[in-house]
Amino acid sequence: MTYTATVDKDVCISSGRCVADAPEAFDFDDDELAEAVPGHPGLSDAALVELARVCPSGAIRVHDELGAEVEL
Ligand code: SF4
C-alpha cells in the first residue's frame, strides 16, 4: 500500500458505501461522516481508487506516495 485516502467531510453525504464495502478501511465519525482508517488495512491501491470512484459524492481523495492527488 502506497496510496493514502482522505475524506472531505464537507462533501461526504453519509451514504455509507465506503464503510459497507471496506469496513476495515473506512469508519463513521460521531457525526456519521466517513473517515479513512490510517493505513487503510486490507486495501490495495487499486481497491482504494475504485472505492473513491464509486463514492456517490466524490468525497474520497486519493494521494500517491509523493502526495500528489491520483486522478480517478
Ligand atoms: S462513500 Fe462517499 S459519501 Fe458515502 S460515506 Fe463514504 S465518503 Fe461519504
Side-chain angles (χ1 to χ4, degrees), residues 3-54:
Y3 287 0
T4 57
T6 56
V7 175
D8 184 341
K9 294 188 179 187
D10 291 331
V11 177
C12 174
I13 57 171
S14 305
S15 73
R17 181 158 188 170
C18 60
V19 178
D21 287 353
E24 70 284 3
F26 289 88
D27 208 349
F28 279 129
D29 67 13
D30 291 342
D31 296 320
E32 303 231 341
L33 296 171
E35 55 191 11
V37 174
H40 323 103
L43 271 192
S44 67
D45 289 348
L48 198 57
V49 168
E50 184 57 25
L51 278 172
R53 280 191 182 129
V54 299

